[in-house]
Amino acid sequence: MASPAPQTRVRAAGLTVDPDVVDRAGRLYRDLHAHPELSGMEERTAARFAAALREIGCQVTTGVGGHGVVGVLANGIGSTALIRAELDALPVAEETGLPYASTATGVDADGQVVQVMHACGHDLHLAAVVGAAAHLARNRQCWRGTLLVLGQPAEETLRGAADLLDDGLYERFGRPDFVLAQHAAPLPAGMVAHGSGPMTAGSVTLDVTVTGRGGHAATPHLCVDPVVLAASIVVQLQTIVARQVSPAEQVALTVGTLRAGRHPGVIADHATLGVTIRALSDQTLDRVLESVVRMVRACCEAAGSPDEPRIRVVSRAPAYQGDPAVTARVRAAHEGAFGAERVAWWPPSLASEDFPLLAAGIPSSYWMLGTVGPRQWRAAAGASAAEKLGSLPTNHSAAFAPSVGLALPAGVEALIVAALTVLEPDSGGGSRP
């Protein structure tokens, strides 16, 4: 499981990254990890990312679609490639024990103070993007075209990409010819993985409010209890996947939040549920969404709810499948850089992303970046690779801790290699950096 030294591997591929580039990216990573911010509140993160891009020579615009950051590195006439990373973190209390572990707090959508952590690798993504852009800026003689570097806000709520596009991202900065991104995953550090079909699921997030008739807990017969109604909805929704979806289709339906009332002796007037639906095809997603709406309405009618339920779509993102030709080119380039044994296949996942909105109608490639170091691998429970992978802390876990010394150099290199695959080589015949 041990990865070869990053510099040795890079030189073997004919690509040498200045150690100073990776060192600077590492310092940025640790700073971002220690100071995470919730979706839509990424003010400090955006400022640090913007400053890092300006330092390497990018023309930077901030405040795009919220706290979005766009850096432009123009280098003559040629293709435009966009590489994306995400700014936001999660309401998770960190339990990694790292010296730079987060103690930050934030205020969530309900106005509650929560602890915040980069538990999904977005800090790693940002640092790797800055490292890759710095390398390309130092080696302009070897490529031509335009590199767009995007720091996207609010990915965890699946709203950031839509906000960027609504704010005229491509009208203001040009529609790219290619879109690239990578995501941290519980694979051995130093590896990348590509998909041959759907990589991420389509997702719909719903805010469902049902109405009761409040009153005293001692007289429930005079009320319509929205908590009981909401509980019935939670149970009934589970039958949709079990009985209305083919076993051949991958679907997940989750009620992630249920909020009602403020006192145990008072029957509330309303209850609100947060629901997510995930599926690998948009057709299946639409069908399950219709079933959810029908089920919620039927439960409300059966309970005697005085009002129609309020069902609001909070966010929606389509399933993602990379462009076959671009994915094949990038995968082949990664095999040349890392060796075929360190480039794996990634199976379809019900994790969801709003990256497909940015890539809609544009050739794109998206791959997974390994984060598990040898020490963590050895300590993981299980005799087989599958058992160890199943026991490791995954994304969104309070114990999620990438092996930065291995994962960050690999992430920088993977982005450089991918960008150079889609950007034109220098017309003067300069060799690849």
Side-chain angles (χ1 to χ4, degrees), residues 47-240:
R48 289 288 290 111
F49 185 63
L53 293 180
R54 289 192 184 99
E55 187 177 326
I56 63 177
C58 289
Q59 181 180 345
V60 177
T61 303
T62 59
V64 183
H67 290 300
V69 178
V70 179
V72 180
L73 192 63
N75 192 34
I77 298 173
S79 298
T80 296
L82 181 148
I83 55 176
R84 184 216 66 166
E86 314 95 306
L87 300 168
D88 55 338
L90 288 159
V92 173
E94 183 161 356
E95 298 176 1
T96 63
L98 292 168
Y100 49 86
S102 168
T103 59
T105 60
V107 179
D108 68 12
D110 295 324
Q112 302 297 311
V113 176
V114 296
Q115 291 187 276
V116 186
M117 175 190 175
H118 269 299
C120 201
H122 292 184
D123 46 355
L124 181 66
H125 305 167
L126 291 166
V129 161
V130 169
H135 175 85
L136 293 170
R138 294 184 184 193
N139 293 273
R140 290 172 182 264
Q141 75 281 3
C142 302
W143 62 278
R144 57 186 173 86
T146 299
L147 185 72
L148 295 180
V149 184
L150 175 62
Q152 179 196 317
E155 187 279 330
E156 294 292 358
T157 60
L158 299 181
R159 298 174 66 175
D163 289 342
L164 287 167
L165 295 171
D166 288 344
D167 199 20
L169 174 66
Y170 291 154
E171 290 79 12
R172 295 167 62 182
F173 302 98
R175 185 176 177 84
D177 299 294
F178 303 95
V179 181
L180 306 171
Q182 62 186 358
H183 203 293
L187 294 167
M191 289 187 68
V192 296
H194 291 265
S196 60
M199 283 199 72
T200 62
S203 177
V204 174
T205 300
L206 302 174
D207 186 84
V208 178
T209 299
V210 296
T211 303
R213 186 165 58 248
H216 201 292
T219 58
H221 58 291
L222 301 178
C223 308
V224 174
D225 192 336
V227 175
V228 174
L229 169 55
S232 175
I233 290 171
V234 171
V235 172
Q236 291 301 315
L237 288 181
Q238 310 312 306
T239 68
I240 292 176

Side-chain angles (χ1 to χ4, degrees), residues 215-406:
H216 201 292
T219 58
H221 58 291
L222 301 178
C223 308
V224 174
D225 192 336
V227 175
V228 174
L229 169 55
S232 175
I233 290 171
V234 171
V235 172
Q236 291 301 315
L237 288 181
Q238 310 312 306
T239 68
I240 292 176
V241 175
R243 289 294 177 266
Q244 297 185 34
V245 175
S246 167
E249 297 177 289
Q250 287 185 250
V251 175
L253 195 163
T254 302
V255 180
T257 63
L258 199 168
R259 305 182 298 277
R262 295 186 178 274
H263 191 284
V266 178
I267 292 176
D269 288 313
H270 300 91
T272 301
L273 304 91
V275 182
T276 62
I277 311 164
R278 300 164 187 263
L280 290 178
S281 82
D282 295 325
Q283 294 78 12
T284 301
L285 195 64
D286 286 335
R287 193 169 71 250
V288 174
L289 176 58
E290 291 172 1
S291 294
V292 168
V293 172
R294 186 171 62 248
M295 187 76 74
V296 169
R297 288 175 175 165
C299 287
C300 288
E301 183 176 354
S305 174
D307 295 313
E308 283 285 311
R310 296 192 296 275
I311 304 173
R312 180 173 65 93
V313 175
V314 176
S315 63
R316 176 161 184 161
Y320 174 73
Q321 181 168 341
D323 178 86
V326 176
T327 296
R329 287 168 57 190
V330 172
R331 180 184 171 86
H334 283 163
E335 288 181 344
F338 296 107
E341 71 280 2
R342 295 191 175 275
V343 180
W345 291 106
W346 186 259
S349 167
L350 288 179
S352 194
E353 257 269 34
D354 60 2
F355 177 75
L357 296 175
L358 298 172
I362 303 174
S364 65
S365 181
Y366 179 99
W367 60 92
M368 298 299 174
L369 174 68
T371 61
V372 181
R375 183 179 303 173
Q376 190 179 26
W377 180 264
R378 286 193 298 268
S384 68
E387 289 174 347
K388 283 182 173 288
L389 288 170
S391 68
L392 288 164
T394 61
N395 304 55
H396 294 210
S397 163
F400 181 72
S403 176
V404 181
L406 293 173

